[in-house]
Amino acid sequence: MLPYQNLHQAEAALGSELTVAEKLWFNYSANKPDYLLHYHNILFLVLIYSTAPLPYMFIELSRSKKIEKHKIQSKVKNSFQDMLKCYKDVMRTFIVVVGPFQLFSYPLIKLTGIRTGLPLPSGGEMFWQLIVYFLIEDYTSYWVHRLLHSNWGYEKIHHLHHEYSAPIGFAAPYAHWSEILILGVPAFLGPALVPGHITSYWLWFVLRQMEAIEIHSGYDLSWSPTKFIPFYGGAEYHDYHHYVGRRSQSNFASVFTYCDYLYGTDKVSPVV
């Protein structure tokens, strides 16, 4: 909740005229308590998960010959019922586990210093914070992922995620409830170490979720803008990890490939 009664008070306190984005933020957030703004993450989680995989679903169901050449494991065909079941299973985990965790994690958000007020971060500030968040999450989740491929970690937890040896977009967060919580630690570590504005926090989780959906899509689309990101793993890279499954001791990266390269776990092999 902002400590200003109106826009004039806000501008007087900041010593400058608010930007268009800041005026919109003031009108939206002025009377909303901070905990309610934090709970927006639950809405974003459900919204992105329910919509971002849809293009891949339509591509899969269309069986278009032009698109089929981009499918990584071309022999695997998924039905609408298969994808709907996956969606329902993940949504159940969101409702039972992730939602309550978000509700109870608000004090931790306040403790880290993530702010909700004015001014809004500049485009440059937000960009560099997101880069830091991606790098921190990528490095820490690499090691968590490797641990989940130990005998105990795989048998007790990680095997569920690998039920999809040919992954689909809806299966990106399909995992044991404890794995979702465990991998939430690397995702939260960046904002905790380098706290910024809550809008950057929202954007970080939206982008990370969209990236996870893309690499689990089962399609290596040549026109994807992520092709221009240096050291980006992508769908083909991660698809191989699922294809090998339990025996996989490579391609642990969640976003970039540098950790796999540095620690000798990188492998790119065509999957048919």
Side-chain angles (χ1 to χ4, degrees):
M1 185 178 293
L2 299 181
Y4 314 114
Q5 296 298 317
N6 51 55
L7 286 172
H8 296 297
Q9 280 190 12
E11 290 179 336
L14 295 174
S16 61
E17 183 179 354
L18 299 183
T19 65
V20 173
E22 288 171 337
K23 289 177 181 178
L24 290 172
W25 179 251
F26 179 90
N27 291 329
Y28 183 75
S29 67
N31 297 316
K32 290 182 175 64
D34 286 356
Y35 68 82
L36 187 59
L37 294 174
H38 167 61
Y39 296 156
H40 279 45
N41 250 5
I42 303 172
L43 300 178
F44 294 140
L45 179 69
V46 172
L47 179 63
I48 296 300
Y49 176 67
S50 299
T51 57
L54 290 179
Y56 301 111
M57 182 188 76
F58 294 139
I59 289 173
E60 180 78 6
L61 297 178
S62 71
R63 304 288 190 257
S64 168
K65 296 298 183 183
K66 292 182 179 180
I67 301 296
E68 197 72 14
K69 64 183 180 180
H70 298 286
K71 186 172 174 61
I72 301 167
Q73 298 190 46
S74 57
K75 296 178 181 178
V76 179
K77 310 295 182 184
N78 295 287
S79 67
F80 175 76
Q81 287 72 24
D82 294 333
M83 290 181 273
L84 181 61
K85 179 184 182 302
C86 181
Y87 176 80
K88 289 180 177 179
D89 289 341
V90 171
M91 285 301 297
R92 189 179 302 113
T93 304
F94 282 174
I95 294 170
V96 175
V97 179
V98 181
F101 179 76
Q102 287 279 339
L103 292 175
F104 291 114
S105 63
Y106 171 69
L108 186 59
I109 297 296
K110 290 295 292 183
L111 186 64
T112 61
I114 295 173
R115 61 188 184 87
T116 61
L118 293 170
L120 290 179
S122 66
E125 178 185 349
M126 186 176 286
F127 174 80
W128 287 112
Q129 282 179 337
L130 290 171
I131 293 295
V132 170
Y133 295 170
F134 268 108
L135 291 174
I136 291 175
E137 191 276 342
D138 193 59
Y139 186 83
T140 52
S141 67
Y142 169 85
W143 290 106
V144 172
H145 194 179
R146 283 191 68 168
L147 287 173
L148 288 172
H149 271 266
S150 65
N151 289 334
W152 186 92
Y154 193 92
E155 291 175 4
K156 300 297 183 182
I157 300 175
H158 195 50
H159 72 277
L160 190 64
H161 183 64
H162 275 273
E163 283 185 6
Y164 287 88
S165 57
I168 57 176
F170 284 115
Y174 180 84
H176 193 279
W177 64 268
S178 62
E179 179 172 346
I180 292 177
L181 294 182
I182 290 169
L183 289 176
V185 175
F188 179 70
L189 194 57
L193 293 175
V194 188
H197 198 269
I198 198 167
T199 53
S200 300
Y201 181 71
W202 290 347
L203 183 58
W204 153 239
F205 280 102
V206 167
L207 291 176
R208 180 63 184 89
Q209 190 179 10
M210 292 180 66
E211 184 273 337
I213 289 169
E214 183 194 19
I215 66 172
H216 287 87
S217 67
Y219 287 86
D220 185 32
L221 303 176
S222 57
W223 60 83
S224 173
T226 56
K227 293 286 187 182
F228 298 97
I229 300 176
F231 304 107
Y232 183 74
E236 184 178 18
Y237 191 83
H238 192 70
D239 205 285
Y240 178 77
H241 177 81
H242 275 262
Y243 178 74
V244 177
R246 183 187 183 92
R247 296 176 291 106
S248 179
Q249 292 299 317
S250 65
N251 297 28
F252 293 112
S254 62
V255 183
F256 305 109
T257 60
Y258 71 94
C259 279
D260 279 313
Y261 177 78
L262 288 174
Y263 301 112
T265 56
D266 60 314
K267 182 176 179 64
V268 179
S269 178
V271 178
V272 293

